[in-house]
């Protein structure tokens, strides 16, 4: 068996950032077989800053999407896995933003980044350059997370974009996330006093996914968390716990979101359990 190591740590952002940023995760993976890691769809707008070699990323898996090299990269909400090509070693920091965070930190609605990967400096300019320099020069995860807090707070301070999000859209987001996608969009719309169509239009324009699609992503995200555990449940139990009608329903979504059925995904994911 090949020897490999996986170290890292997570942290919550400063309190003033928590409406905009869910989490920070630092990772250092070494000695794994070279391959392609499938970064699954989730509720987060993800930014990754490499602390070593450039990231080699494609916006889709096995679908002809071009592989692009990034020193740091930001993405919007996705409906498919992102392919991260690696040589068995990855070191970096991942920042998970909320849709509110897109306006507050990037100065644009999350919808403008949906299904896209862009260099972080295209969004943050000189602030991204300073952030990358500070993260790479720091010698501890704590120092890196402190630098993230300081620089992202400065990004928020450059404008007042968060107020532009309709409160009904923000509430719909909270409802869908709290239910892990297991809620009827029509019921959410009724609670807000909107029609389903009106909610869908407003939500899509802000977030970049219609609420029904986000609900599917959230349900898949829950299933993926269960399946990626060190001692995972049987697939039938994963399906039941995460709200699928049956295992066949889970398999259909899994194939759509990762490009592989669940068992083939597990065999091919060389970084599974690395965290």
């Amino acid at each position: 068996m090949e020897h490999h190591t996986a170290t890292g740590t997570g942290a919550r952002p400063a309190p003033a950032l928590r409406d905009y940023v869910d989490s920070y995760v630092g990772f250092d993976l070494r000695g794994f077989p070279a391959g392609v890691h499938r970064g699954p769809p989730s509720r987060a707008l993800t930014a990754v800053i490499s602390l070593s070699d450039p990231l080699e990323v494609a916006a889709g898996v096995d679908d002809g999407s071009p592989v692009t090299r990034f020193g740091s990269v930001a993405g919007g909400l996705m409906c498919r896995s992102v392919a991260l090509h690696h040589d068995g070693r990855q070191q970096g920091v991942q920042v998970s933003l909320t849709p509110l965070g897109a306006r507050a930190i990037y100065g644009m609605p999350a919808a403008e980044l949906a299904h896209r990967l862009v260099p972080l400096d295209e969004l943050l300019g000189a602030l991204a350059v300073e952030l990358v320099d500070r993260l790479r020069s720091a010698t501890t995860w704590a120092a890196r997370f402190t630098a993230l807090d300081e620089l992202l707070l400065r990004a928020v301070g450059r404008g007042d974009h968060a107020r532009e999000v309709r409160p009904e859209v923000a509430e719909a987001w909270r409802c869908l996330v709290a239910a892990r996608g297991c809620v009827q969009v029509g019921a959410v719309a009724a609670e807000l006093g909107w029609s389903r169509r009106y909610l869908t239009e407003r939500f899509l324009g802000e977030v970049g996914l219609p609420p029904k699609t986000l609900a599917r992503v959230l349900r898949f995200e829950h299933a993926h968390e269960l399946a990626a555990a060190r001692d995972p449940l049987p697939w039938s139990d994963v399906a039941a716990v995460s709200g699928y009608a049956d295992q066949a329903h889970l398999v259909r979504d899994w194939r759509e979101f990762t490009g592989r059925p669940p068992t083939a995904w597990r065999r091919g994911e060389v970084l599974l359990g690395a965290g």
Side-chain angles (χ1 to χ4, degrees), residues 7-218:
T7 59
T9 188
R12 294 200 71 197
L17 286 169
R18 289 178 188 170
D19 282 344
Y20 313 126
V21 183
D22 276 335
S23 65
Y24 305 141
V25 175
F27 57 89
D28 190 352
L29 312 173
R30 304 170 189 240
F32 289 86
V36 178
H37 168 60
R38 287 163 165 76
S42 74
R43 76 187 70 181
L45 285 78
T46 302
V48 181
I49 299 96
S50 174
L51 300 178
S52 53
D53 295 333
L55 302 156
E56 297 186 358
V57 190
V61 178
D62 299 332
D63 64 356
S65 296
V67 178
T68 305
R69 290 167 64 87
F70 297 96
S72 58
V73 61
L77 295 181
M78 304 282 184
C79 290
R80 55 182 176 169
S81 291
V82 172
L84 293 94
H85 298 254
H86 62 88
D87 62 2
R89 183 178 188 274
Q90 290 186 332
Q91 184 183 34
V93 178
Q94 176 175 301
V95 181
S96 296
L97 274 65
T98 69
L100 284 177
R103 283 194 184 272
I105 292 171
Y106 297 148
M108 63 179 63
E112 291 190 23
L113 288 171
H115 316 295
R116 297 178 59 210
L117 298 170
V118 299
L120 189 61
D121 56 8
E122 192 174 298
L123 302 176
L124 293 180
L127 201 63
V129 177
E130 181 180 351
L131 177 60
V132 171
D133 286 346
R134 287 190 57 182
L135 292 180
R136 290 179 178 170
S137 62
T139 57
T140 65
W141 293 122
R144 292 178 182 123
F145 297 148
T146 296
L148 280 166
D149 278 346
E150 292 176 4
L151 273 293
L152 295 182
L153 282 167
R154 276 170 50 192
V156 171
R158 296 192 301 187
D160 193 15
H161 309 286
R163 291 185 181 178
E164 300 172 32
V165 180
R166 287 286 297 266
E168 295 90 345
V169 171
E171 180 60 25
W173 171 270
R174 285 190 287 269
C175 289
L176 288 163
V177 168
R180 292 182 179 263
C182 296
V183 63
Q184 295 296 318
V185 175
V188 175
E191 185 71 22
L192 297 172
W194 284 359
S195 71
R196 177 172 177 151
R197 179 177 178 180
Y198 190 75
L199 171 61
T200 297
E201 290 173 351
R202 293 295 177 271
F203 199 91
L204 178 62
E206 181 65 40
V207 174
L209 299 180
K212 184 175 180 179
T213 302
L214 176 68
R216 292 181 60 217
V217 168
L218 290 166

